[in-house]
Amino acid sequence: MEQVIMNQLSYPILSTIIFLPILGALLILINKRSWELLTKGIALATSIGTFLLSLPLFTHFDKSTYKMQFAERHSWISNWNIYYFLGVDGISVLLVLLSTLTAILCVLISWESIKTKVKEFYIAILLTTAFMVGVFCSLDFFLFYLFWEAMLIPMFLIIGVWGGPNRVYAAIKFFLYTLIGSVLMLVGIIILYLYAGKTFNILELMTKTYPYTMQMWLFWAFFAAFAVKVPMWPVHTWLPDAHTEAPTAGSVILAAVLIKMGAYGFLRFSLPLFPQASTAMVPVMMTLSVIAIIYGGVICLAQTDLKRLIAYSSVSHMGFVTLGIFALNSQGLEGGILQMLNHGIVTGALFLSVGIVYDRTHSRKIADYGGLATVMPIYAAFFMVFTLSAIGLPATNGFVGEFLILLGGFTANKLAGVLASTGIIIGAGYMLWLYQKIFFMEVNPKVVGLPDMDTRETLTLIPLLLLVFWIGVYPSSFLSFMHVSVQHLMERVNSGGMQEVNVAKTIMEVVR
């Protein structure tokens, strides 16, 4: 237990954060269908309570250690050596906070727009929140896989039941892509379990060294799950369909949290478990990342649908994240982790913003808008801030993350750094073009008379607006959480890389 710090608080905080949304879902389940307002109230109170309970993670986190904190460990299925084992470090703690904040925003933005099967919708939102937090907190592979797979079910329902006209196609595509990738990861987990003495303890598995060939096979098995979830090019095609068809809350969950799980998987498992394979695969991963950055950006220029444009921009932005991770230096890794948080904030905000005008016009076509700055000035101001953050303007959160990633990218590979930089120019092009089309130009008759944002919608976006400037102006308050954990991760990867070099030297000496 040297790698963990047991729970610093007087109550099991991580379990509480996971099970409170499940309790809220059960309360909604037993509530009468006709008491719709009570259902919404339970969902809002539960999500606010979950977020407030997660705040001590931020205030009580010990930034001086890489060890897992707030740990809880109980024997679960003793015959298979499976434990209920939870904990967070500087990489996962911010993602837990992002997940709980996202839940509140999803409940608020769905307050008026979800009109059918209201009970079932909020149950799905709360269960998704619980499972997402479980993924980021699990330190036992069995428990992790359970949460990873369980999350697919409510998301499948959110897209398939409350989505657009092609919702069933999008939901099935999302489910199949992620399930196929996950099955390959399950095979990798079983191989690790058998090879390492029948343990699912993730921290214990990280202390072991695996043969190089085995690392390569397992790297690709885990890659199948994580690359689909990011999503990396060319397995990204489920994302635009899922985003386009999902209701606003579904798009926000997908953008803000769910696609971060792939990048989190690379950080939590691929790098520390397979350091030699990760080092060897750097050229491939950086190439795929650069393709995603440029391809996603160029495709955005051809979009006519608001949500589809933002969806493809996610492919490009997540390319920056994987580029930072596989730069394998501290700047790139910290930039990648921070950009995961930034993308969740900004893209989540953009999808929320699209949902606000969609609720008024029931159209996502860019051509149906124009002159919104005149009709909805408050909305235009919010959208402008999120646009500038998306293109990485200094003093916004997007700038800090992309700067660190490019710094790490240039250090690792100058060509990759140069090519990735073009993605910023392309990003500025499509986001400013989008802003011009929907906010300036002549007022489109279809938007004349639209009401500006109401209090509920404004309150939904304000937290994200504050985070944009907080991270942009004072990023060290977030980067300080990850310094020690990233340094420890780098030591693990470098020691693995050195073993690879030493093996190669030994072979050469034998040959001589």
Side-chain angles (χ1 to χ4, degrees), residues 83 119 133 136 142 166 179 251 314 341 353 444 495:
Y83 284 80
K119 277 181 61 172
V133 174
F136 293 131
F142 186 87
N166 295 319
L179 182 65
S251 297
S314 291
L341 189 65
S353 302
N444 193 311
S495 63

Side-chain angles (χ1 to χ4, degrees), residues 94 334-335 338 400 404 474-484:
L94 296 176
E334 289 188 5
L338 187 65
V400 183
L404 287 173
Y474 190 49
S476 61
S477 57
F478 290 84
L479 290 170
S480 58
F481 279 86
M482 59 188 83
H483 284 326
V484 179

